[in-house]
């Protein structure tokens, strides 16, 4: 499917697509641009490929981006497949000036086939071909002397500078929704609710330990414990806890998810850097940098910036934490042991990381966050335990 998409993109970039296929190719390109919105490297790779679709290195870079996006979101992969199929429904055309030879054209020693018209290599066929050549020369001359205006402006009642085809209007660009504002309502929406966890081990019912994600506001986040690195940049924050059902006291564990919202991507970058500096330089904290704490899949693209840590309680290693920045948002995703025999799962960490990333992307696109863990689990299944 990825190869098919690359082929359609190359056709759309080179202007070789048919009228219907070209429109579908443009739609495919627009869908990719929207998907990669905010990721400068991926957008640059797409633009480089569209500018020179024959370059092997550019094609390889876009292929890697496509494979990564499809692996992270099978639903988006299905959409790409549908768009590529629509673009491929009609054969490509070669366009030279105003003469179009469709993909159905065939030329052989004894016969020329132009769509429904077939010209045989006999006396009558050669006569017809001569007539067509004269007609072609007339059309070229007519176009050179502005005769095309006879067809464009000659409609009944059409005045100077107007068209008789009132239904032909330039396409209107699809408006891009504004990002959701950096408010408490937005960060609460980014944190997954019961519906987003339905069908997963985190699914719970009212009365369970974490009925809908045990939630608290800004003071419960990392900024409540470490206000200095958060400064005055963080506009809103929230934290929620989630525990899989039916885990014993010996093997039980839970996850804590946090979201911090900023007014700009620059503010989020500064907060991310300040948190990294704090945890790296202050040995008194219970959060210690450890790149080996979490290993993302080889083809995973998890945010604009990612850092991983070990968490401790009274000197005991109790969990792992990932800090992800995506645009103006920062998410902290932590797994912690409730029983000393618990095993923290690297695959589950990837799924939770991806869930928060997907929901931050949706908020940045102006959409109410709705990504669900059950879809992400199927995409990142089998990535293995942490230890």
């Amino acid at each position: 499917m990825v190869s098919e998409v690359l082929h359609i993109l190359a056709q759309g970039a080179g202007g070789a697509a048919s009228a219907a296929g070209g429109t579908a190719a443009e739609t495919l390109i627009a869908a990719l641009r929207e998907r990669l919105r905010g990721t400068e490297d991926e957008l640059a790779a797409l633009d480089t490929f569209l500018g020179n679709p024959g370059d092997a290195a550019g094609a390889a870079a876009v292929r890697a981006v496509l494979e990564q996006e499809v692996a992270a979101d099978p639903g988006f992969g299905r959409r790409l497949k549908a768009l590529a199929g629509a673009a491929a429904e009609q054969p490509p055309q070669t366009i030279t000036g105003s003469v179009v030879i469709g993909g159905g054209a065939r030329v052989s020693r004894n016969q020329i086939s132009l769509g429904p018209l077939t010209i045989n290599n006999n006396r009558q066929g050669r006569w017809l071909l001569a007539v067509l050549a004269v007609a072609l020369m007339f059309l070229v001359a007519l176009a050179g002397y502005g005769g095309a205006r006879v067809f464009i402006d000659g409609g009944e009642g059409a005045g100077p500078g107007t068209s008789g085809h009132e239904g032909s209007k330039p396409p209107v660009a699809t408006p891009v929704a504004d990002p959701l504002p950096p408010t408490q309502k937005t960060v609460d929406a980014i944190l997954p609710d019961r519906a987003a966890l339905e069908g997963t081990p985190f699914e719970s019912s009212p009365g369970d330990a974490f009925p809908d994600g045990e939630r608290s506001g800004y003071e419960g986040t990392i900024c409540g414990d470490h206000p200095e690195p958060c400064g005055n940049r963080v506009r809103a924050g929230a934290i929620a806890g989630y525990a899989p059902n039916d885990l014993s006291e010996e093997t039980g564990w839970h996850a804590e998810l946090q979201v911090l919202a900023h007014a700009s991507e620059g503010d989020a970058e500064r907060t991310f850097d300040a948190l990294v500096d704090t945890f790296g330089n202050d040995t008194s904290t219970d959060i210690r940098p450890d790149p080996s704490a979490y290993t993302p899949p080889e083809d995973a693209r998890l945010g604009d910036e990612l850092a991983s840590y070990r968490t401790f309680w009274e000197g005991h290693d109790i969990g792992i934490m990932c800090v992800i920045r995506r645009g103006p948002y920062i998410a902290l995703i932590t797994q912690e042991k409730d029983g000393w025999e618990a095993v923290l799962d690297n695959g589950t960490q990837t799924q939770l990381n991806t869930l928060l990333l997907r929901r931050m992307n949706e908020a940045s696109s102006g959409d109410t966050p709705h990504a669900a863990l059950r879809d992400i689990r199927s995409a990142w299944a089998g990535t293995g335990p942490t230890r």
Side-chain angles (χ1 to χ4, degrees):
M1 186 270 288
V2 170
S3 297
E4 182 181 4
V5 171
L6 281 174
H7 179 67
I8 297 301
L9 289 177
Q11 285 188 330
S18 66
T23 301
E26 292 169 3
T27 303
L28 179 62
I29 294 172
L32 279 173
R33 289 192 186 280
E34 177 62 25
R35 175 73 179 186
L36 302 177
R37 180 185 176 194
T39 57
E40 295 183 2
D41 292 342
E42 286 77 2
L43 276 175
L46 178 61
D47 290 336
T48 300
F49 174 70
L50 294 176
N52 184 13
D55 180 61
V62 173
R63 176 183 293 275
V65 171
L66 290 174
E67 290 175 346
Q68 181 173 280
E69 292 298 330
V70 169
D73 187 353
F76 181 69
R78 290 191 291 272
R79 183 184 178 198
L80 284 185
K81 184 176 182 180
L83 291 173
E89 284 181 356
Q90 294 192 9
Q93 295 175 324
T94 301
I95 302 176
T96 305
S98 298
V99 180
V100 179
I101 301 177
R106 299 289 184 271
V107 179
S108 65
R109 181 176 181 180
N110 297 316
Q111 190 179 80
I112 299 176
S113 176
L114 300 175
L117 177 64
T118 299
I119 302 174
N120 295 310
N121 187 13
N122 53 29
R123 181 178 180 181
Q124 183 178 4
R126 289 190 292 273
W127 177 84
L128 177 58
L129 190 60
V131 172
L132 289 176
V134 173
L136 177 61
M137 292 175 63
F138 173 76
L139 288 174
V140 171
L142 184 64
Y145 285 98
R149 296 187 62 84
V150 172
F151 302 99
I152 297 175
D153 295 337
E156 184 177 351
T162 63
S163 172
H165 301 279
E166 295 182 0
S168 300
K169 297 180 180 180
V172 179
T174 302
V176 178
D178 292 330
L180 299 185
T183 62
Q184 193 64 38
K185 180 179 179 181
T186 296
V187 294
D188 285 337
I190 293 174
L191 288 173
D193 55 14
R194 189 184 298 118
L197 302 177
E198 184 179 359
T200 76
F202 287 103
E203 182 179 3
S204 58
S205 302
D208 287 350
F210 298 101
D212 197 16
E214 187 179 60
R215 293 167 181 259
S216 60
Y218 182 85
E219 290 302 320
T221 67
I222 199 73
C223 295
D225 295 329
H226 304 275
E228 290 187 4
C230 292
N232 296 319
R233 295 179 298 272
V234 181
R235 296 295 184 89
I239 180 172
Y242 306 86
N245 289 333
D246 303 324
L247 290 179
S248 69
E249 294 182 359
E250 292 78 19
T251 61
W253 59 274
H254 70 279
E256 292 183 0
L257 311 180
Q258 302 184 40
V259 177
L260 306 175
H262 301 74
S264 68
E265 183 171 354
D267 279 351
E269 289 178 351
R270 287 184 281 276
T271 299
F272 183 91
D273 292 341
L275 289 172
V276 170
D277 289 342
T278 297
F279 299 147
N281 298 326
D282 188 354
T283 57
S284 65
T285 67
D286 292 327
I287 302 172
R288 304 175 191 174
D290 185 352
S292 68
Y294 168 65
T295 305
E298 183 177 349
D299 55 350
R301 179 172 58 84
L302 295 174
D304 301 315
E305 296 181 275
L306 171 68
S308 56
Y309 299 86
R310 297 277 181 189
T311 59
F312 293 82
W313 176 257
E314 296 182 347
H316 297 285
D317 180 0
I318 63 169
I320 58 177
M321 180 178 77
C322 290
V323 182
I324 297 176
R325 183 186 68 80
R326 182 66 174 96
Y329 298 103
I330 291 177
L332 294 86
I333 301 97
T334 306
Q335 291 185 76
E336 290 191 348
K337 300 177 181 180
D338 298 323
W340 300 119
E341 296 182 9
V343 175
L344 305 182
D345 189 81
N346 196 86
T348 298
Q349 187 73 28
T350 295
Q351 294 157 15
L352 294 173
N353 288 353
T354 306
L355 175 65
L356 266 292
L357 176 64
R358 192 86 55 84
R359 293 175 76 90
M360 289 188 290
N361 283 341
E362 290 164 346
S364 295
S365 300
D367 194 6
T368 300
H370 58 273
L373 185 58
R374 59 185 175 276
D375 298 325
I376 294 167
R377 283 173 58 83
S378 61
W380 296 117
T383 50
T386 300
R387 58 185 181 276

